[in-house]
C-alpha cells in the first residue's frame, strides 16, 4: 500500500509499505478521509511536542471497516471512525476513567504511525460506529470531540459568557459545544477572516480581534462588566495563553486546550484573588465522541462547513506547505482516498 511519511521537518515522502495483517483484538480500516489538524501542521513545521521523525501523520480519520477481531456490534463494510488515543487500560488515569490522559498514551500519528496510508490497523476497542454519517463528517468527529471535552472540563452552564481564544478548527468545535451547552460565546482571534467565519457560519454573536487595543473594555461591555466566567484557549500560543489570565471573571475557570512548549506565566496575586481554577484538557473520551456523533445526527453541528480545501492523497506532498500560510484561508483541509 502507499504511505506518506513525514521524514524530517518540512519534508514528506511517499513510500510503499505492507498492508497490515489482522491481529487479535484489532481491526483494519480502509482509509477514505484524512482531516489535517494543527498537530499535523506543527509536526511538519517541527514545533510539535512529544514528536519524533520519521512519522506517518494523520489521526482525524474515517474509512470502511474491512476486517476485525473482537468488535461485537460492528459489521464488515461499515463506515467508521475511531478514538485515536491508544491507552494501556491499567495505569492510574485509565483506572480512574481518564484514558484520554493515560500515562502510556500512544496517539495515532504522533507517538505511533498514523492514517496517511491506504489501510490502518487500530485496536478494536477504539472503533466508533458511523451512525449513517458521511466520511467527511466522521473524519471531523475527533477534532470536535476535543472541543466537546474542553467544554465538559469547564462545566459550562447555560447563560455563561465563554471566551474561546483561537478560531482554528479546535476553537470552532469549542464554540459549537459551548453554544450547545447554552453559553453566550465570545470568539477571539487575530485573523479577521476567521472571526468573520465564526460570525457568519457559526452565528457567534460576539467577536474580538486580540490585537485590538481595547480588548478588556470590549469584554467588559459584552459581559456587563463581569468578564467571562469561562476562558478556553485553543491557540497553542504562549503569548495568547499568558495574556488570557487577565480576561477572567472572579471565580472563573480557565481551560487550556491548546498546547505549546514553553512555560505558563501569570500573576499569582491576580489569580489568587479571583479564586480562579486552571485546568488542562487533553484529547477526549468515548463520551465526548458519542456526544459529537449524536449532535451531528440532530443537526446541531454542521462540520462540513469547516472544510475549505480538498485534495487527493497523491497531492498532499505538494499542497501541504501551502496550508501553513494564513493567506490561503485554510480552516480545514480534507484528504480523499478512493
Amino acid at each position: 500500500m502507499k504511505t506518506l511519511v513525514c521524514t524530517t521537518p518540512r519534508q514528506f515522502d511517499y513510500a510503499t509499505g505492507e498492508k497490515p495483517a489482522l491481529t487479535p483484538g484489532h481491526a483494519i480500516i480502509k482509509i477514505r478521509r484524512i482531516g489535517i489538524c494543527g498537530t499535523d501542521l506543527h509536526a511538519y513545521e517541527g514545533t510539535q511536542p512529544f514528536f519524533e521523525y520519521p512519522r506517518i501523520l494523520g489521526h482525524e480519520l474515517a474509512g470502511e471497516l474491512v476486517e476485525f477481531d473482537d468488535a461485537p456490534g460492528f459489521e464488515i463494510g461499515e463506515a467508521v471512525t475511531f478514538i485515536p488515543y491508544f491507552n494501556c487500560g491499567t495505569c492510574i488515569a485509565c483506572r480512574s476513567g481518564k484514558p484520554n490522559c493515560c500515562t502510556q498514551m500512544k496517539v495515532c500519528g504522533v507517538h505511533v504511525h498514523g492514517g496517511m496510508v491506504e489501510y490502518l490497523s487500530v485496536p478494536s476497542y477504539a472503533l466508533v460506529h458511523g451512525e449513517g454519517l458521511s466520511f467527511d463528517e466522521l473524519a471531523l468527529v475527533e477534532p470536535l470531540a476535543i472541543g466537546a471535552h474542553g467544554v465538559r472540563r469547564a462545566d459550562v452552564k447555560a447563560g455563561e459568557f465563554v471566551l474561546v481564544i483561537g478560531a482554528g478548527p479546535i476553537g470552532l468545535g469549542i464554540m459549537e459545544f459551548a453554544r450547545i451547552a447554552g453559553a453566550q460565546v465570545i470568539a477571539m482571534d487575530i485573523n479577521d477572516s476567521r472571526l468573520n467565519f465564526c460570525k457568519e457560519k457559526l452565528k457567534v454573536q460576539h467577536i474580538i480581534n486580540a490585537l485590538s487595543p481595547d480588548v478588556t473594555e470590549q469584554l467588559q461591555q459584552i459581559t456587563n462588566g463581569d468578564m467571562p466566567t469561562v476562558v478556553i484557549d485553543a491557540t497553542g500560543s504562549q503569548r495568547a495563553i499568558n495574556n488570557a489570565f487577565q480576561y477572567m471573571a472572579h471565580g472563573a475557570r480557565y481551560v487550556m486546550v491548546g498546547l505549546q512548549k514553553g512555560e505558563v506565566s501569570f500573576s499569582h496575586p491576580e489569580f489568587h484573588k479571583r479564586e480562579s481554577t486552571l485546568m488542562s484538557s487533553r484529547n477526549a473520551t468515548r463520551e465526548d465522541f458519542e456526544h459529537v456523533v449524536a449532535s451531528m445526527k440532530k443537526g446541531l453541528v454542521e462540520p462540513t462547513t469547516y472544510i475549505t480545501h480538498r485534495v487527493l492523497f497523491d497531492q498532499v506532498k505538494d499542497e501541504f506547505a501551502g496550508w501553513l500560510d494564513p493567506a490561503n484561508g485554510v480552516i480545514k483541509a480534507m484528504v480523499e482516498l478512493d
Side-chain angles (χ1 to χ4, degrees), residues 74-252:
F74 286 86
E75 298 180 0
I76 298 297
E78 180 178 351
V80 295
T81 186
F82 67 95
I83 303 170
Y85 330 119
F86 306 146
N87 59 283
C88 72
T90 59
C91 72
I92 180 62
C94 291
R95 298 197 313 270
S96 302
K98 296 178 177 290
N100 56 301
C101 59
C102 169
T103 63
Q104 305 298 317
M105 178 69 67
K106 302 295 183 185
V107 177
C108 181
V110 179
H111 307 104
V112 296
H113 288 318
M116 290 191 177
V117 297
E118 293 181 282
Y119 294 89
L120 184 67
S121 175
V122 304
S124 295
Y125 68 74
L127 291 172
V128 176
H129 287 288
E131 299 285 355
L133 298 176
S134 69
F135 288 125
D136 281 346
E137 290 172 318
L138 288 172
L140 291 166
V141 170
E142 190 273 343
L144 286 169
I146 297 283
H149 187 70
V151 169
R152 186 156 64 91
R153 285 281 285 157
D155 192 23
V156 171
K157 299 290 194 298
E160 283 194 283
F161 283 101
V162 175
L163 172 62
V164 181
I165 307 172
I170 299 300
L172 298 180
I174 295 168
M175 294 175 203
E176 295 268 49
F177 284 92
R179 171 183 55 78
I180 289 170
Q184 300 186 64
V185 179
I186 307 165
M188 182 182 291
D189 201 283
I190 60 174
N191 186 316
D192 283 329
S193 65
R194 288 203 168 191
L195 289 171
N196 289 332
F197 181 92
C198 295
K199 192 169 188 177
E200 295 168 8
K201 300 293 186 181
L202 271 60
K203 308 304 180 186
V204 173
Q205 186 175 357
H206 308 288
I207 59 173
I208 298 176
N209 190 306
L211 300 178
S212 301
D214 61 343
V215 169
T216 299
E217 290 77 7
Q218 289 186 62
L219 286 170
Q220 288 175 333
Q221 183 175 11
I222 291 167
T223 62
N224 302 311
D226 290 335
M227 301 297 282
T229 50
V230 175
V231 175
I232 305 180
D233 176 82
T235 66
S237 160
Q238 184 182 48
R239 182 178 179 182
I241 289 169
N242 290 341
N243 280 346
F245 284 92
Q246 65 186 302
Y247 304 144
M248 301 171 68
H250 281 238

Side-chain angles (χ1 to χ4, degrees), residues 2 38 50 81 108 123 145 166 168 171 179 216 224 251 287 292-293 329 334:
K2 182 177 283 189
F50 316 124
T81 186
C108 181
R179 171 183 55 78
T216 299
N224 302 311
E287 179 180 349
V292 170
V293 170
M334 186 67 69

Side-chain angles (χ1 to χ4, degrees), residues 41-85:
L41 298 172
H42 297 154
Y44 179 78
E45 286 182 305
T47 59
Q48 176 64 29
F50 316 124
F51 198 84
E52 296 179 357
Y53 302 87
R55 181 68 70 215
I56 298 174
L57 306 181
H59 64 270
E60 296 182 1
L61 303 165
E64 179 184 344
L65 188 58
V66 295
E67 294 184 79
F68 64 80
D69 173 70
D70 192 22
F74 286 86
E75 298 180 0
I76 298 297
E78 180 178 351
V80 295
T81 186
F82 67 95
I83 303 170
Y85 330 119

